[in-house]
Structure formats: C-alpha cells, structure tokens
Amino acid sequence: MAVVLVIVLVVAGQLIVDGAGGVRAADEAAARWLAAHREPSLLDVTRWATYLADLWVVVGAGAVLAAVTAWWSRGWWLPAGVIALTAGEAAIYEVSNTLVARPRPAVARLDPGDPMASFPSGHSAASVCLYGGLAYVLHGIARHRAAGAASERPAASQPVVPEALVSESAVSHPAAARRVVAVARWLWLPAAVAALVLPLVVAFCRTYRGMHYPSDVIAGLFLGTCWFFAVSAAVLSRAWRASAPETGMSF
C-alpha cells in the first residue's frame, strides 16, 4: 500500500506541476487570494492551530499512545499499529515530497520550512493519522470490559473479550484497567469528532499561512486517510479479533 500511495502521489504531483487540468493555475490564484485577505486576528490562531500537527507533537503524542496501548494490551498489535500510522505516513510523505519537489506558493510564507516541500502537505496527512488513530484506539478499548472486571461474572455470562485485551495489566491491575475503559468510553466520541475536524483545520491553516497550495493539502488528506484505513485493516484491527471461548485461540 505504501508503494502504491507513493506512485499515486508522485504521478499526481508531477501532473499538477506540469499544469495539467488547470490545477496549478487555480492553486496559484487561491494562494494569492488568501495572502491578500489575511486577517490579523487569524494570524495567531492559525499559527497555534498548525502546532496540532507539528512534527514533535505527532512524535510525542504517538509515542505516548503507543506506550499506553502496550501497557494495556501487553501485546504488540496496538502499539505496532500506532507506530505504523505515524512513521509510515512520514516515510510516504518524505519519499513523495522529495520526488515531486514542488516549490511552495510564491507568496509571503508565515512559517519556516523547506521551500521545495509543498506537495503533499505532511501536516495534513499526519493530523489524519494521529487523531484518527487516537479515536480508533479509544473506540476499540471502550467497547470491551477489562478482563479483571469480566472475570468477576459467572463463566456462562462472560462476554467474549479480544485476546489482545486479556492482558496482564487487566488481570493484575483490574481497577486501573477499568479506569482506562471508563476514560475511553468518555473520550472516544470527542476524539472521533476531533479526527474529522482537526485535519480540516490544519489544512486550512497551512494554506492560509502560505505554506501550501490547496491541492497540496487535499493530497495530504488523501495520503493520511488511505494510510489510516490500510493500517487499521492490516494491523490495528487484529487487536480486536475475538478469542474463541471453546479453544481460547484467536481467529
């Protein structure tokens, strides 16, 4: 999937740079219009909002999420999926960005950055993977009781708990595990809303501040969305596969 995404992005980027379909002209007109209509009140807002997908924010938040999921599951599917989301997106971005080497908009740019790193938008892609991954993990945890709490029920009424979640943490620290589930149940819906809204906010900020053309952020959102679904299906979903009660083996 990563190779396919790189090929698609490089081909699309080169077509845009070459002026195919009038996209480059529309991009340049949009960049000039936004630069000419900047409002002082939005400059600080967009600057701080950009930090939502800053490199060190993504790396730090991804590391914390991977550590928490590793403690929770005592397995590797969840933390591996979180790492694959952020690291894989960054690798795809770096390769496609280097190969396309599109210059940034020829307007006053308000943030630092490589002048030949316009397509695709790494901030937009990273925001989809980070906040989408957070919502996905919280929703998965929220759907399952801690193993320690489940073990208090009669055997006949115990729910099927995913093998990845029947962890040493849940068994040896049932109270802490139940708190994690309770927090996840409160937070997953706001996290899902944030996963939908924040990438759009970041994409707008990057164009508003002259760092990207509209097609750059669209490509970044495309990259992040495709990679999120690929990693969710191939890695993260394995953590939620139920154990067969008769054999104890996972499907």
Side-chain angles (χ1 to χ4, degrees):
M1 184 61 181
V3 175
V4 172
L5 277 174
V6 168
I7 293 173
V8 170
L9 289 169
V10 170
V11 170
Q14 292 295 348
L15 289 174
I16 291 172
V17 171
D18 292 340
V23 176
R24 188 177 70 181
D27 271 346
E28 292 171 350
R32 289 193 298 269
W33 188 91
L34 284 172
H37 292 81
R38 287 174 180 158
E39 295 290 339
S41 59
L42 285 179
L43 295 183
D44 282 339
V45 173
T46 55
R47 177 168 63 90
W48 287 108
T50 297
Y51 287 124
L52 292 169
D54 183 74
L55 171 63
W56 294 112
V57 171
V58 173
V59 170
V64 170
L65 184 58
V68 171
T69 54
W71 170 84
W72 165 258
S73 66
R74 284 299 192 271
W76 65 275
W77 285 115
L78 283 180
V82 171
I83 294 170
L85 274 176
T86 53
E89 173 275 322
I92 296 169
Y93 159 76
E94 289 291 346
V95 173
S96 57
N97 184 274
T98 301
L99 292 176
V100 175
R102 184 186 192 184
R104 293 192 189 271
V107 299
R109 296 190 293 272
L110 305 182
D111 296 321
D114 182 353
M116 299 294 289
S118 190
F119 184 95
S121 168
H123 281 70
S124 302
S127 62
V128 173
C129 290
L130 175 61
Y131 298 109
L134 175 63
Y136 186 94
V137 169
L138 287 174
H139 181 253
I141 293 175
R143 290 174 57 235
H144 301 94
R145 291 181 60 86
S151 64
E152 297 171 2
R153 296 184 176 186
S157 63
Q158 287 185 10
V160 176
V161 180
E163 184 177 1
L165 296 186
V166 183
S167 64
E168 294 177 17
S169 295
V171 172
S172 59
H173 304 287
R178 282 195 296 269
R179 284 195 294 270
V180 171
V181 175
V183 170
R185 286 175 175 170
W186 278 101
L187 291 183
W188 81 262
L189 185 56
V193 174
L196 295 174
V197 174
L198 293 185
L200 299 178
V201 172
V202 170
F204 169 76
C205 292
R206 297 299 282 169
T207 54
Y208 189 83
R209 298 182 64 80
M211 302 306 294
H212 289 287
Y213 293 106
S215 63
D216 299 335
V217 297
I218 291 172
L221 295 173
F222 170 80
L223 161 58
T225 301
C226 290
W227 189 242
F228 167 75
F229 281 111
V231 174
S232 297
V235 185
L236 288 172
S237 65
R238 292 178 179 268
W240 317 126
R241 292 185 179 180
S243 302
E246 295 85 358
T247 63
M249 297 177 62
S250 59
F251 294 106

